Amino acid sequence: MQSRTIHVSTGRSYDIEAGTGLLDHSGELIRPITKTQNVAVISDSTVAKLYGDRMMQSLAAAGFTAKLHIFPAGEKSKNHTTLLGIYTFLAQNGYTRADLIVALGGGVVGDVSGFAAATYMRGIDFVQVPTTLLAEVDSSIGGKTAVDLCEGKNLVGAFWQPRLVICDPSTLKTLDSRIFSDGMAEAIKHTCIRDSALFDALLGGAAVDEDFICRNIDIKRRVVERDERESGERMLLNFGHTLGHAIEKTYNFETYTHGEAVAIGMVLITRQSEKKGLTQKGTTKKIETLLKKFGLPTECSASIDDIVKAAASDKKRADGGITLVLLRKIGDAFLHRLSDADFRRFFLEDE
Ligand SMILES: NC(=O)c1ccc[n+]([C@@H]2O[C@H](COP(=O)([O-])OP(=O)(O)OC[C@H]3O[C@@H](n4cnc5c(N)ncnc54)[C@H](O)[C@@H]3O)[C@@H](O)[C@H]2O)c1
């Protein structure tokens, strides 16, 4: 078993084990971190079909008694009904706070299972086994867990760090190409904010392999270690998101995936900050080229005016101002705080 260990030093620290084929070694990797025999595996309908048996076999081989709970795949399942289903499954099968949850799947499985783990019996240990690119480089790291409400995404949640993350890049082979590209948007975002060498390597044709995934994980690790609760530096991870959310909203959450909208958002905001002299010339072009390489959109038909209006109405509720994430250059992001009026001016005036 070939594995690389990335240690995450948050309040409750843990390791990320990354390596091809690790899924089949999940049981032996989990064995040292728990005293329990009882493991609840939570997965979605697509991932369970693809990888459920291998996970269950690996846990059994390591001496665990494991049961599998499956909910329908997709963002629509990230809600209180699914959460209640998980609580009921745990309670009916007699799981206690001493036992362990394994979240096998993408960001939805990780977020909802993580929130169930944070709250069931006031907190039970959990292990993330991410199976999408987005989950491997982003959502499984940093301890944010949540469910959506009709009123908005991730409105109910908790910070709850996993005890272990097992990242097996070979699971990405079965991903739909659009979902893979969606994860690439966040991976490219990471390089834009903190790692110009990795950005350039990707631009130069480097493969999205285990090495790339580990280096990308490491960018998020460094950011969340410095700011576990998102009071400062962690906000840099929102690069492209203010306009990205607004684009998703403008198109009624139907036309663009989240990653696609973030891709367009990164381009629009960087183009504007380049015009304002806040970003090194040529940065927008580089980002556009890299996004296109991975099949991501870099523009949309909505006017910047409409996108900015949608962004302003989104953020007004917060505290009357907006914090933008801008790049000085690739790999060097900073926070730029604006009042609502200045926010409109930032986009609608070129100087
Ligand atoms: N907690 C965080 O810090 C954080 C960060 C970013 C995003 N998120 C959340 O993550 C979620 C999005 O995650 P996602 O993009 O992984 O979505 P997802 O979990 O819905 O997965 C996308 C689709 O891919 C399928 N799938 C998963 N793994 C597969 C595989 N190996 N092969 C084939 N199909 C597979 C799933 O069944 C699903 O249909 C959102 O809810 C978002 O809010 C959380």
Side-chain angles (χ1 to χ4, degrees):
M1 173 177 58
Q2 289 266 343
S3 167
R4 297 189 221 191
T5 306
I6 300 168
H7 185 70
V8 186
S9 293
T10 38
R12 201 163 170 247
S13 61
Y14 56 97
D15 287 337
I16 299 170
E17 295 294 341
T20 300
L22 283 194
L23 177 69
D24 298 312
H25 297 274
S26 297
E28 56 191 282
L29 289 167
I30 291 170
R31 190 70 275 176
I33 63 142
T34 183
K35 292 196 178 75
T36 190
Q37 294 300 106
N38 303 317
V39 174
V41 179
I42 315 288
S43 194
D44 73 26
S45 45
T46 303
V47 177
K49 225 176 271 163
L50 289 165
Y51 302 112
D53 284 350
R54 284 169 60 188
M55 171 57 75
M56 300 311 274
Q57 276 160 21
S58 169
L59 290 168
F64 290 108
T65 304
K67 290 188 176 136
L68 176 63
H69 176 74
I70 302 169
F71 62 79
E75 182 71 30
K76 283 200 176 83
S77 286
K78 198 173 143 182
N79 58 28
H80 59 281
T81 308
T82 302
L83 186 64
L84 202 60
I86 296 174
Y87 291 147
T88 305
F89 165 77
L90 294 171
Q92 286 183 347
N93 287 286
Y95 286 98
T96 73
R97 205 177 340 176
D99 298 325
L100 183 87
I101 290 176
V102 171
L104 172 67
V108 167
V109 172
D111 277 14
V112 71
S113 309
F115 186 59
T119 47
Y120 182 71
M121 292 196 172
R122 300 189 183 84
I124 162 173
D125 285 345
F126 91 117
V127 170
Q128 294 247 30
V129 185
T131 62
T132 62
L133 180 60
L134 178 136
E136 292 191 349
V137 302
D138 189 356
S139 63
S140 66
I141 314 148
K144 274 192 185 176
T145 72
V147 293
D148 301 337
L149 297 182
C150 301
E151 289 74 13
K153 267 176 65 81
N154 298 322
L155 288 186
V156 182
F159 285 96
W160 190 248
Q161 303 293 345
R163 290 292 316 282
L164 174 70
V165 179
I166 301 169
C167 169
D168 179 349
S170 68
T171 59
L172 304 184
K173 286 192 189 128
T174 51
L175 267 190
D176 175 273
S177 65
R178 197 171 179 199
I179 296 173
F180 181 83
S181 296
D182 209 41
M184 267 322 286
E186 302 288 355
I188 290 171
K189 176 199 75 182
H190 285 163
T191 67
C192 284
I193 64 169
R194 276 290 174 261
D195 194 336
S196 62
L198 194 55
F199 181 100
D200 288 342
L202 212 48
L203 200 57
V208 180
D209 54 9
E210 197 178 307
D211 189 52
F212 172 81
I213 288 170
C214 288
R215 287 177 69 183
N216 214 287
I217 288 172
D218 212 46
I219 300 172
K220 177 135 187 204
R221 173 194 69 76
R222 280 182 271 137
V223 173
V224 300
E225 277 184 354
R226 282 198 280 262
D227 177 20
E228 190 175 343
R229 296 274 166 157
E230 201 172 30
S231 53
E233 180 161 346
R234 196 165 174 167
M235 289 165 76
L236 296 178
L237 295 168
N238 292 334
F239 176 53
H241 281 63
T242 301
L243 297 188
H245 283 149
I247 291 164
E248 284 184 278
K249 202 167 135 186
T250 304
Y251 287 89
N252 220 9
F253 296 90
E254 280 165 5
T255 308
Y256 296 108
T257 65
H258 176 71
E260 289 166 350
V262 167
I264 300 168
M266 291 192 283
V267 171
L268 293 184
I269 199 148
T270 306
R271 181 173 297 135
Q272 202 58 22
S273 73
E274 231 181 88
K275 279 185 191 162
K276 303 257 171 206
L278 297 166
T279 299
Q280 190 177 73
K281 290 262 177 261
T283 305
T284 314
K285 189 79 217 133
K286 282 174 88 177
I287 297 174
E288 274 184 297
T289 308
L290 188 53
L291 292 170
K292 281 183 184 155
K293 219 169 134 77
F294 289 95
L296 286 157
T298 55
E299 59 190 346
C300 62
S301 59
S303 72
I304 188 73
D305 199 14
D306 286 344
I307 296 168
V308 168
K309 262 188 214 143
S313 73
D314 232 17
K315 297 289 168 188
K316 243 179 205 154
R317 279 178 287 122
D319 57 359
I322 290 185
T323 302
L324 293 181
V325 184
L326 306 180
L327 304 183
R328 283 185 198 89
K329 56 186 182 191
I330 299 290
D332 185 4
F334 66 102
L335 299 177
H336 189 63
R337 179 89 188 143
L338 293 173
S339 68
D340 275 342
D342 286 344
F343 175 65
R344 299 289 298 276
R345 275 196 285 275
F346 184 87
F347 288 99
L348 304 177
E349 293 168 13
D350 279 354
E351 293 304 320

